Structures are given as structure tokens and as C-alpha cells.
Amino acid sequence: MPPVIVVDIADVKAATEPARLVSIGLGSCVGVALFDSKKKVGSLAHIMLPFSRGSEPVDNRAKYADTAIPLAIEKMEKLGANRSRLIAKIAGGAKMFSFIPKDDYIGRKNVHAVREVLRREDIRIVAEDTGGSVGRTVEFDTSSGTMLVKTARLGVRKL
Amino acid sequence: MARQLILNELEMDMLREVGSIGASHATNSLAEMTGTKVSIEVPALEIRPVEQLISREGGEELVAGVYVELEGDVNGVIVLMLDIASALQLVEQITGMPPAGEELTEMEVSVLQEVGNIMASHFSNALADFLGMKIMPMPPALAVDMAAALLDFIMLEQACKTGDAILFKTRFIFQPRQISGNIFLMPDPESLDRIVTMLREKVGLGA
């Protein structure tokens, strides 16, 4: 089995193959995996909040969608990836307590921000498992580009 | 509104005392409900970047969380959190009925929600009385999922403005079966400011 690299909350890691990039227990957070299938370079960002908006200087670029995604691209380019080849798979952004009457929850804002930033970077989302009321552990394989989304009670989904 | 929350030792001590008053009222209500003894550990108060608290407090283990939002002079949330086995044991203790399986039944869900509701009401009433503030608990919501996922939701909703989370955490142990759980109080930063101001007035330090 390829070695596991844990990507903690508000962190971004990039790796060449073989590796499994893992983020545990995404609730409102969103896991964004980027992949260059030709170079077999992948990255996983464990994004916590939507926009860094003026909270300059940004304490940690890996925390926000608008700064974490560019950071992930930079890290991948250092490993030989080509930005024009990148595709994205995303998971997370839940509202864990389904009965709370709240539509503007952080999970939804995070997913919207991630989509917007990926569009701005011209990276296509090829697979997505977001929203709902379920916690997700994601595991991204840098050889195959497969993202496994594991849940406590709804089984495993392969993206 | 984003500013650093910096409190001195005296303010931290006073806040811990307030948390302790709330937590003991909450756990006493649990003791009354079940006719047994509940002991609490000394409450911890932490103010730190939200990502540090989430990654330390939560893993992949399955937990039941009852979430009660607070409104009024204090905005925030009170959360009762138990690992799933403890949650089932607690329900059994209250209803006298053994768990039906690993998944919570509708009845078990409503018992846990009611436990969370009663604990949160006692917690917030004790705070409101002590501080002379108006605090209203909203209806409870329950979720069973990975601890990290529940905590990331709960903490980010409270801390998204400043990035710092304020966590009062009290661990309780419920006799005779040693069922343990945690009760969290997380006020938002503006509410913490109001609480500190009230406390300073109370001890004659002025605003």
C-alpha cells in the first residue's frame, strides 16, 4: 500500500506517486484534491473557511479557499505538474446538524467559494460529493487519481 | 470586529468560575433526571485558533452530539457530546430499556435530545442568573457522526468571524457505570466581551 500522508485541518500537501493523501472527519470543511494525471502529481487541501478577504496578512494560506487552492497549485508545480492539465475532485461542506434552520452555514459557503476559485483558476471539477448532513474522511490516491469518500454510516463512495 | 481576544489571569479565573457554575447546574440536572450521581472535572477554558481545537478534540470516532444554540445577551452554543456507547448506556439508564442496536432509534434520539435540552437549559439559566443577563436556549438538534466532523461544524459556525474559538469544556462522569461525556459552551467573541464586562462590574473593577 502506498504511504499515507495526513492532511490536517487548514493544511495543504502535495505529493508524487505513490501516496495516499488523507483528511479525516470533514464536516463544514472541504477537501479539494487536484491531479495531474500525466505527471502523477496530486495535492489535497483541507479547507476551513471561504475567503481570506482583507484579513491581511493571511496567517495561514491553507485555511481559506481563495488562498489554499493557489498554494496547492504552486506546490504541485514544484513537483513538476502542469497547471493546464489539472483537474479537481471535491468533498465535504456538510451541515452536520440537519435540523438547524440555517441556510447560510459555513459548509455551503465553503463549497461555493471552492467552486468559484477553481473556475477562476480554470480547473474543472470532474467529481464532487458535497453538502448533506454527513461527516466525510477523504483519501486521495496520487497514482490513480481516485478519491475515496468514507462516511460513518453511509458507506464508501469512489470519486 | 476581528480583534485578538486577550484576557488577564483574573478574567480567565472569573470565566472559569462562571463555566463551572453552569456545568454543575447542567450535570446536577442530569443527576436528578436519572436518580444517580454525576461528578464533574474542573472545567477548562481555552481561547485559541479554531483549527488547533478542532484537530485536538476530534477524531474519526463515532459520537452523539446534542447542539443547542443560545440567543439573547449571549450568542453561542452549548453542546453535549458522548461517544456512541456512552450515549446508548445513558438512554438505557434513563428509560430502563436496553439499546435496540447500534443505530439510534427514534425514541433514543428523542431521549438524548431531551437530555441535551435539559442540561443546556440549566447551564444557560445558571449563567443568566449569575451574570444578570438574558440567555435563551433554542430547540435541540442531534447528530451522530465522526467527532471531528461535528466539532468542525460547531466550532466554525461560532468562530468564523475572528478565527479564534472560545471553548469552555467540562468532562462529566456519570455513576454507577462510569459513563463519561463532555459539555461544551462556546460563546461568540462579542458575547465573551459582554460576559467579561459584566464580571468586571460584579467584582468592582468597572468597565
Side-chain angles (χ1 to χ4, degrees), chain A residues 8-10 24-29 48-49 63 94-97 100 102 105-106 133-135 137 150-153, chain B residues 50-51 54-55 59-60 62 65-67 69 103 141-146 148-150 152-154 156-157 160 163:
Chain A
D8 217 336
I9 183 167
I24 285 170
L26 302 167
S28 302
C29 290
M48 202 171 97
L49 290 168
K63 216 148 107 172
K95 178 165 92 170
M96 295 306 299
F97 294 83
I100 295 170
K102 187 175 212 172
Y105 54 96
I106 301 291
S133 298
V134 62
T137 287
K150 302 173 179 176
T151 63
R153 284 167 302 124
Chain B
V50 62
E51 61 272 28
I54 295 170
S55 101
E60 224 172 0
L62 203 58
V66 184
Y67 177 98
E69 271 185 45
E103 289 278 316
L142 177 127
V144 176
D145 214 305
M146 302 172 193
L150 293 188
D152 112 16
F153 176 89
I154 293 161
L156 289 178
E157 289 295 330
C160 55

Side-chain angles (χ1 to χ4, degrees), chain B residues 118-162:
Chain B
I118 291 168
M119 288 182 79
S121 304
H122 280 82
F123 201 127
S124 58
N125 283 344
L127 289 186
D129 285 350
F130 184 77
L131 296 167
M133 293 170 117
K134 197 172 171 188
I135 309 173
M136 292 162 298
M138 298 292 107
L142 177 127
V144 176
D145 214 305
M146 302 172 193
L150 293 188
L151 286 167
D152 112 16
F153 176 89
I154 293 161
M155 293 192 182
L156 289 178
E157 289 295 330
Q158 300 310 315
C160 55
K161 282 179 235 156
T162 56

Side-chain angles (χ1 to χ4, degrees), chain B residues 86-182:
Chain B
S86 300
L88 289 169
Q89 284 185 313
L90 183 60
V91 173
E92 184 181 355
Q93 183 78 37
I94 292 168
T95 63
M97 278 158 40
E102 281 172 23
E103 289 278 316
L104 292 179
T105 62
E106 214 170 295
M107 191 274 288
E108 286 162 344
V109 166
S110 60
V111 169
L112 280 174
Q113 269 179 343
E114 195 46 30
V115 170
N117 192 27
I118 291 168
M119 288 182 79
S121 304
H122 280 82
F123 201 127
S124 58
N125 283 344
L127 289 186
D129 285 350
F130 184 77
L131 296 167
M133 293 170 117
K134 197 172 171 188
I135 309 173
M136 292 162 298
M138 298 292 107
L142 177 127
V144 176
D145 214 305
M146 302 172 193
L150 293 188
L151 286 167
D152 112 16
F153 176 89
I154 293 161
M155 293 192 182
L156 289 178
E157 289 295 330
Q158 300 310 315
C160 55
K161 282 179 235 156
T162 56
D164 274 340
I166 304 144
L167 174 69
F168 291 84
K169 175 184 163 182
T170 309
R171 185 177 158 80
F172 61 86
I173 299 156
F174 178 77
Q175 310 297 345
R177 290 207 252 169
Q178 307 282 324
I179 302 167
S180 66
N182 285 298

Side-chain angles (χ1 to χ4, degrees), chain A residues 3-118:
Chain A
V4 168
I5 300 170
V6 173
V7 184
D8 217 336
I9 183 167
D11 198 5
V12 173
K13 295 255 168 73
T16 51
E17 71 165 338
R20 282 178 295 154
L21 298 164
V22 176
S23 280
I24 285 170
L26 302 167
S28 302
C29 290
V30 178
V32 177
L34 301 180
F35 190 51
D36 177 341
S37 61
K38 191 173 169 204
K39 289 282 179 172
K40 307 284 185 201
V41 174
S43 69
L44 184 62
H46 186 153
I47 290 167
M48 202 171 97
L49 290 168
F51 295 105
S52 53
R53 96 178 98 230
S55 59
E56 307 294 337
V58 174
D59 50 338
N60 171 6
R61 290 175 71 198
K63 216 148 107 172
Y64 310 94
D66 63 339
T67 45
I69 290 170
L71 175 64
I73 298 169
E74 284 167 29
K75 283 178 183 260
M76 291 176 76
E77 283 176 334
K78 279 186 191 146
L79 296 175
N82 185 327
R83 102 172 18 229
S84 68
R85 276 197 299 264
L86 300 185
I87 51 103
K89 294 183 179 182
I90 71 173
K95 178 165 92 170
M96 295 306 299
F97 294 83
S98 55
F99 296 111
I100 295 170
K102 187 175 212 172
D103 292 326
D104 62 339
Y105 54 96
I106 301 291
R108 170 177 281 178
K109 290 184 193 165
N110 279 340
V111 171
H112 286 175
V114 163
R115 288 195 192 125
E116 187 184 321
V117 174
L118 287 171

